[in-house]
Amino acid sequence: MKVLANDGISKSGILALEKGGFEVITTKVAQEQVANFVNENNVSVVLVRSATKVRKDIIDACPGLKVIGRGGVGMDNIDVDYAKSKGIHVINTPASSSESVAELVFAHLFSGVRFLHDSNRSMPLEGDTNFDGLKKAYANGVELRGKTLGIVGIGRIGQATAKMALGLGMKVIAADSFIPKVDVKVEFFDGQSINTTIVSQSIESLFKEADFITLHVPAQDGYIIGEKELAMMKDGVGIVNCARGGVIDEVALVKALDSGKVLFAGLDVFENEPTPEMTILMNPKISLTPHIGAATAEAQDRIGTELASQIITLLG
């Protein structure tokens, strides 16, 4: 049986699938050619990340398709219910990239509180002629320790983020309409651990209390953070989104950054991917990454082997 890993797959995933008797194709097929390629090559399994979309048109056009797999958590690029109604298995890897995304959240937080994203732009240009001026410009950093991190969505990635925050000495609060409370275990290198319970509170109270806010939610119909929500927040709040584009009103965010209401934002995802708005890309108060939350070697290894294991169980 043939597997098309259209957005790539780790070497460990390929080896596991080949060991299970599958042929793995890693040719990058253009979106409009996916259905033809699947049919012409008798592909049974299509694996995607966030780039390739598997909508109703592809599902209808590919009667031989048995499994659609998403390397990662969110499946908003797949018509999941429709695929299942046609007898196609839809799988994902919700546990594999939690730590990688959580670490990127903190990369953005550290970058924001110490202006790294902006100083890394300015130092090559002015570091030799305006060193003292830049030193003064970036002298008002703040510490994360002792501050309150508000986590919107306390699923797997939210919990991984909470553990890192607790390890740093932050207070963690959470809002989640589906998870009333969660037990979090913070593990250390020597086998010791501490346990704590995080109880969900209203999102309004989280917006009012948090010094920093990070979003870990699936794609939404509307904004979670818009003008009204920004107005509730503390002055000088920091906001990070490594979840999904479209959950923050970017126009309202830029306005709040320009007014000083928001100290900084860290964005890995955008309303208009893959062409984010220039007002976002050029804003000196935004730390930017191009949707790379799960893009670590370790996460991609785990994603590849987890997908392989599920496919072999379903079709082997």
Side-chain angles (χ1 to χ4, degrees):
M1 263 191 244
K2 293 178 184 176
V3 176
L4 171 63
N6 206 44
D7 297 337
I9 187 172
S10 67
K11 187 73 180 164
S12 56
I14 293 171
L15 291 172
L17 282 165
E18 287 176 346
K19 195 175 174 184
F22 292 84
E23 180 188 336
V24 183
I25 303 165
T26 55
T27 307
K28 174 64 180 170
V29 182
Q31 178 71 48
E32 59 274 13
Q33 293 299 320
V34 170
N36 287 341
F37 189 92
V38 166
N39 291 331
E40 286 169 13
N41 293 276
N42 296 317
V43 169
S44 302
V45 181
V46 171
L47 302 180
V48 300
R49 290 187 197 167
S50 53
T52 305
K53 294 173 176 58
V54 187
R55 300 288 182 215
K56 184 176 181 289
D57 58 335
I58 289 178
I59 294 163
D60 284 340
C62 302
L65 203 53
K66 292 182 170 60
V67 176
I68 302 166
R70 160 77 162 97
V73 185
M75 294 199 286
D76 37 296
N77 54 328
I78 301 168
D79 285 343
V80 177
D81 292 337
Y82 188 75
K84 287 180 177 176
S85 77
K86 295 290 182 181
I88 299 170
H89 298 284
V90 184
I91 58 175
N92 67 342
T93 59
S96 296
S97 56
S98 302
E99 277 73 24
S100 294
V101 178
E103 287 192 8
L104 184 62
V105 168
F106 275 93
H108 282 296
L109 284 170
F110 281 120
S111 183
V113 293
R114 300 309 294 269
F115 316 108
L116 302 185
H117 54 291
D118 200 44
S119 65
N120 277 323
R121 290 167 171 170
S122 301
M123 281 293 285
L125 300 173
E126 300 177 49
D128 58 340
T129 58
N130 187 29
F131 192 89
D132 288 339
L134 293 179
K135 185 174 181 177
K136 189 176 178 183
Y138 303 128
N140 297 315
V142 296
E143 294 182 0
L144 293 177
R145 183 176 176 81
K147 305 297 191 304
T148 299
L149 180 67
I151 301 176
V152 180
I154 195 74
R156 286 184 178 89
I157 297 172
Q159 289 170 40
T161 305
K163 291 175 189 180
M164 291 179 194
L166 292 164
L168 268 175
M170 298 185 82
K171 177 185 175 183
V172 176
I173 59 175
D176 193 307
S177 28
F178 300 102
I179 303 173
K181 68 173 186 175
V182 66
D183 295 321
V184 173
K185 185 179 184 181
V186 184
E187 297 177 85
F188 300 100
F189 71 96
D190 59 359
Q192 294 187 70
S193 63
I194 57 161
N195 296 287
T196 188
T197 301
I198 298 171
V199 178
S200 285
Q201 60 190 68
S202 74
I203 197 164
E204 292 81 9
S205 65
L206 181 145
F207 287 151
K208 288 171 185 170
E209 285 178 49
D211 299 301
F212 305 99
I213 294 166
T214 177
L215 298 172
H216 300 288
V217 293
Q220 309 283 313
D221 287 336
Y223 298 125
I224 285 180
I225 294 178
E227 205 166 316
K228 185 180 82 168
E229 291 75 22
L230 287 160
M232 295 179 194
M233 296 175 191
K234 287 184 176 182
D235 291 344
V237 69
I239 300 170
V240 176
N241 183 14
C242 292
R244 277 287 174 270
V247 296
I248 297 177
D249 179 345
E250 291 178 356
V251 173
L253 177 64
V254 168
K255 194 173 160 188
L257 286 162
D258 290 346
S259 73
K261 174 72 179 181
V262 175
L263 177 67
F264 71 89
L267 300 178
D268 185 48
V269 290
F270 306 89
E271 281 194 68
N272 296 314
E273 286 187 33
T275 53
E277 296 297 335
M278 201 51 68
T279 50
I280 293 289
L281 297 179
M282 298 304 291
N283 194 300
K285 293 183 177 180
I286 303 179
S287 172
L288 299 155
T289 47
H291 204 150
I292 55 165
T296 62
E298 294 87 348
Q300 291 308 314
D301 268 350
R302 288 191 294 266
I303 285 168
T305 51
E306 191 178 330
L307 283 172
S309 169
Q310 291 184 66
I311 292 163
I312 290 162
T313 301
L314 288 169
L315 304 180

